[in-house]
Amino acid sequence: MKKILGIALVVIAAGAAIWWFFLGENPERDAARAAEAEAAVSVAEYPQQVLWGDTHLHTDNSIDAFGFGTRLGPEAALQFARGDKVMSTTGIEAQLARPLDFLVIADHSDGLGATRRLYDAPRMLIQDPTLKRWHDMMHESPEQSQMAIAELITAASDGTLPEALRDPETQEKNTRNIWQSHLATLDKYYQPGKFTPIAGYEWTLMPGGNNLHRVVMYRDGYDKTSKTLPFPGIDGNIEGLFDYMDAYEEATGGRVLAIPHNSNLSNGMMFELTQADGGPMTAEYARRRAMREPVVEATQIKGDSESHPFLSPNDEFSGFGDIGWELGNLPLTAAKEDSQFAGEYLREALKRGLSIEQQTGANPYKFGMIGSTDSHTSLATADEDNFFGKHTGNEPNAKRANESQNLGTRQGRFGWNYLAGGYAAVWARANTRAEIFDAMMRREVYATTGPRMTVRFFGGFNFSGTDFASDWVSGAYAAGVPMGGELSDNGTAPQFIVSALKDPDGAHLDRVQIVKGWTDGHGTLREKVYDVAWSDQGTRRSVAGKVPAVGNTVDLATASYTNDIGAPELQTVWTDPDYTKGQRAFYYVRVLEIPTPRWTLFDAVKFGFKLSEDALRDAVAQERAYTSPIWIGPASDGSLPDSTLPDRAAP
């Protein structure tokens, strides 16, 4: 098998060289052009427009995506994201109603391009019986190909992958060719100020099938990123990834960050109270993790990780996107226990961070929130009426909503459990790699489950006279901190400015909530959800601290709704009524839309079939946004060095 893969590498490399020669491809030239164009982009004094993107998309270079049937490569992915019409793998015309501003193609670092090479290999030369069987299954039918990759994922989780897929020398050679070609493609499509492809990959640590994956994202172009290779994850550990990131920055002068995702499938391992080796959490480890992982993916196709009813029983909106994903780990090789939820969901992780900070002086979980798709179709869409599925096997068709869809056992998860989400919203000063990366480092970002609502969130101590008719944003930057920022406790209750504007093409807003987490005087972790602004406040009065439901205009027969309820915009200045001096606390905003149809209902109407009873009960949802938190605590908590929070007003 090594010999076959080596031959394939030579053929691919020769083909690429010929292609570059005749078509004039020149990575160094394109990199220089991209850098020159980026330098010419005007940078605002402070972020004035939100940028929309996906930091987690897979193409046919991913070992699983190709096996599932995807035949679209990075160029098609970039074309689709910038708004072009493309043809999906299954022959369906695909186009975004609104282009994205940026994209990270995050193909798996392990086995980059391996399933394509296996698929193309002459059968007679394949000696490993497992690889030969997977080769045959991929050629037999799309269904058998999907089953082969399901087996591959399970084998990766339990450490039984064939040796040829684990051999580091072979993998390095193959990875280098694909990686450098991919980086050159990114620079070719880079249009600073308009559309920004960003280098990255997915690091796939998965001990025992428990998802500890990260998307690794770079600030840099080909001149620096071509000097490294994606770091393999299957046999790795988190400290090894951080060492790799340190080495990259030291060797190139570049910048890199990591984005954990699908903590909901880690069986409690993503946000542990100990270090990865089981030892007590140290301040050094906590600072390093906060520095290396400034943002976390809160929502995506494989479920939502913001909260869970077991952890937040008094939060009526805490169960969004949990069904099916709360059963166990990624391949469902291990069932989940209730005690594991606390290490999986972001609100609880933020609370755990406060506790660790109180004990060690550093907070490992001081992260911002973004959303992204994790689509394996090369099509970055989180739109309910334009959902192309998790992988090619569930691109639009009449069966996907009701069928079992789990990647491993084929039990327990169904098509309707998958979400059409999400997107990353970034408050950057310009649409460039540097500005988008820097916004993520300072956590001035938020997540949505798909809709593109515009959300501002500032914290401070002197906002009471804010006039939303004036230039209040520049004043908020001057007097406070935006989402992702930190306030030093001065003995007075913090104030917060919240502004939420509906998606111009979407649904009205139901309400704006502020979620607070804190440690009380006894060191106990607590939380509370406050309704701070909602539509029709004159008639929808809060009863016993709860705002009544907004209503529901969804027509199940037509998969439609009306904006007769809700509000196009909600704004307020809110002061914490439960502030206690000396509290360590965080606050983040959750914005809820009015009820709207899910992709499953759009499918049922389009293809003319009946949803199962379970799917029908879940066919209407309230889409939402989650902002990065704002923290308050002692003046110097030591969790992050000042260098990670650059001056937003700097030219």
Side-chain angles (χ1 to χ4, degrees):
M1 185 63 186
K2 291 183 185 179
K3 182 178 180 180
I4 294 170
L5 296 178
I7 293 172
L9 173 64
V10 172
V11 172
I12 292 170
I18 294 170
W19 187 56
W20 284 354
F21 177 80
F22 284 108
L23 297 185
E25 294 289 338
N26 186 321
E28 288 77 13
R29 180 197 62 202
D30 288 342
R33 176 200 58 79
E36 183 179 352
E38 180 173 291
V41 172
S42 176
V43 176
E45 180 183 1
Y46 59 83
Q48 299 177 29
Q49 183 178 4
V50 65
L51 302 178
W52 293 96
D54 185 354
T55 64
H56 191 176
L57 178 72
H58 295 269
T59 74
D60 65 355
N61 279 331
S62 280
I63 190 170
D64 51 356
F66 183 88
F68 285 138
T70 298
R71 297 296 181 266
L72 299 185
E75 290 213 52
L78 292 164
Q79 291 163 5
F80 178 81
R82 73 181 183 184
D84 296 356
K85 183 182 294 184
V86 303
M87 192 69 71
S88 81
T89 296
T90 58
I92 303 172
E93 284 191 347
Q95 187 173 26
L96 287 170
R98 292 169 289 180
L100 295 178
D101 298 303
F102 64 91
L103 178 69
V104 180
I105 294 176
D107 285 315
H108 294 290
S109 59
D110 293 272
L112 195 66
T115 42
R116 175 183 286 279
R117 291 189 297 275
L118 176 60
Y119 182 89
D120 292 337
R123 186 180 188 277
M124 61 182 295
L125 297 180
I126 304 174
Q127 298 182 3
D128 183 278
T130 299
L131 291 176
K132 182 172 290 188
R133 184 164 56 81
W134 288 347
H135 172 277
D136 292 345
M137 292 171 72
M138 285 195 291
H139 280 272
E140 181 177 336
S141 68
E143 293 76 18
Q144 285 295 307
S145 184
Q146 292 168 32
M147 291 183 67
I149 300 308
E151 290 184 16
L152 188 152
I153 291 172
T154 301
S157 72
D158 60 23
T160 59
L161 277 175
E163 191 270 341
L165 293 181
R166 303 172 68 93
D167 178 63
E169 181 179 349
T170 300
Q171 293 305 316
E172 180 177 340
K173 290 179 180 178
N174 293 325
T175 295
R176 184 177 302 280
N177 178 268
I178 295 174
W179 175 245
Q180 294 191 346
S181 175
H182 172 66
L183 295 175
T185 299
L186 297 181
D187 277 353
K188 186 172 70 173
Y189 279 83
Y190 187 19
Q191 296 174 278
K194 183 178 181 181
F195 179 66
T196 299
I198 300 173
Y201 61 87
E202 180 173 349
W203 182 76
T204 51
L205 180 64
M206 193 166 60
N210 300 316
N211 186 94
L212 295 177
H213 298 186
R214 273 83 168 169
V215 169
V216 176
M217 171 181 154
Y218 298 88
R219 189 179 191 265
D220 316 302
Y222 183 91
D223 59 327
K224 293 178 180 177
T225 53
S226 62
K227 292 179 171 61
T228 189
L229 290 177
F231 186 62
I234 287 180
D235 297 320
N237 58 71
I238 190 60
E239 293 278 23
L241 177 64
F242 294 163
D243 289 343
Y244 162 89
M245 297 168 74
D246 290 345
Y248 169 79
E249 293 188 347
E250 183 176 351
T252 67
R255 298 292 304 280
V256 61
L257 59 81
I259 308 171
H261 70 264
N262 276 127
S263 55
N264 61 329
L265 300 177
S266 70
N267 274 11
M269 293 182 65
M270 186 68 83
F271 304 117
E272 293 184 301
L273 291 167
T274 64
Q275 296 189 175
D277 61 5
M281 183 81 72
T282 66
E284 180 182 6
Y285 175 87
R287 291 190 185 96
R288 192 182 196 197
R289 182 153 179 180
M291 180 71 174
R292 286 297 173 205
E293 299 178 345
V295 296
V296 173
E297 191 177 287
T299 189
Q300 63 133 263
I301 289 176
K302 298 199 303 294
D304 191 279
S305 303
E306 184 250 348
S307 59
H308 190 279
F310 178 81
L311 302 169
S312 304
N314 296 323
D315 179 1
E316 61 190 306
F317 298 104
S318 64
F320 179 84
D322 293 341
I323 299 176
W325 307 106
E326 57 194 357
L327 300 175
N329 60 8
L330 177 58
L332 274 180
T333 54
K336 197 181 307 296
E337 300 176 4
D338 289 348
S339 61
Q340 295 172 331
F341 285 126
E344 297 195 320
Y345 286 86
L346 271 57
R347 187 186 304 173
E348 198 68 21
L350 290 166
K351 289 160 60 180
R352 284 185 165 192
L354 297 178
S355 177
I356 294 170
E357 180 181 49
Q358 196 167 40
Q359 298 171 43
T360 68
N363 185 343
Y365 305 134
K366 191 168 277 190
F367 51 72
M369 299 191 204
I370 61 167
S372 283
T373 65
D374 194 14
S375 168
H376 284 56
T377 64
S378 299
L379 305 175
T381 170
D383 302 328
E384 299 288 344
D385 61 352
N386 193 28
F387 180 52
F388 270 78
K390 169 66 176 175
H391 54 77
T392 298
N394 51 33
E395 287 188 1
N397 65 71
K399 297 180 179 180
R400 63 175 181 166
N402 290 328
E403 283 186 335
S404 61
Q405 296 287 340
N406 183 54
L407 302 180
T409 65
R410 293 286 171 190
Q411 298 174 1
R413 292 178 184 138
F414 296 87
W416 61 271
N417 297 151
Y418 287 77
L419 305 182
Y423 283 136
V426 175
W427 286 108
R429 299 183 301 170
N431 188 357
T432 66
R433 288 169 175 164
E435 290 299 323
I436 292 169
F437 184 96
D438 291 349
M440 290 195 178
M441 285 301 299
R442 65 178 183 264
R443 304 170 301 221
E444 199 171 353
V445 297
Y446 61 97
T448 86
T449 56
R452 303 191 193 187
M453 62 274 280
T454 301
V455 185
R456 289 279 200 183
F457 181 43
F458 294 89
F461 300 99
N462 189 28
F463 291 147
S464 56
T466 296
D467 180 0
F468 287 107
S470 66
D471 183 13
W472 64 270
V473 174
S474 61
Y477 274 112
V481 299
M483 61 182 75
E486 302 176 50
L487 295 172
S488 297
D489 186 10
N490 65 5
T492 60
Q495 294 180 313
F496 299 93
I497 300 177
V498 186
S499 174
L501 180 66
K502 71 178 284 290
D503 182 331
D505 297 338
H508 276 176
L509 306 178
D510 167 16
R511 68 187 73 194
V512 170
Q513 300 176 311
I514 288 183
V515 179
K516 178 185 178 182
W518 74 96
T519 55
D520 65 17
H522 303 287
T524 303
L525 295 173
R526 303 176 66 85
E527 68 174 59
K528 188 172 182 178
V529 179
Y530 302 86
D531 291 307
V532 299
W534 58 94
S535 63
D536 301 315
Q537 283 190 233
T539 55
R540 290 175 67 205
R541 299 186 181 278
S542 177
V543 178
K546 294 287 185 180
V547 173
V550 68
N552 185 355
T553 68
V554 174
D555 183 340
L556 298 177
T558 61
S560 61
Y561 68 95
T562 62
N563 273 328
D564 298 333
I565 57 176
E569 186 174 23
L570 294 171
Q571 296 176 320
T572 192
V573 177
W574 180 80
T575 302
D576 181 2
D578 300 313
Y579 164 77
T580 299
K581 183 178 180 180
Q583 258 181 14
R584 295 182 186 271
F586 64 81
Y587 305 80
Y588 67 86
V589 168
R590 183 170 65 186
V591 181
L592 301 178
E593 285 188 343
I594 63 172
T596 54
R598 290 192 62 217
W599 68 267
T600 52
L601 196 58
F602 282 109
D603 268 16
V605 171
K606 178 179 180 179
F607 295 109
F609 68 91
K610 289 186 177 180
L611 291 169
S612 69
E613 291 184 7
D614 289 338
L616 187 59
R617 279 193 293 269
D618 197 56
V620 176
Q622 288 190 257
E623 304 272 9
R624 55 200 63 198
Y626 313 120
T627 72
S628 295
I630 292 173
W631 289 263
I632 186 170
S636 298
D637 62 20
S639 60
L640 288 177
D642 291 341
S643 61
T644 67
L645 300 170
D647 182 358
R648 293 174 181 81

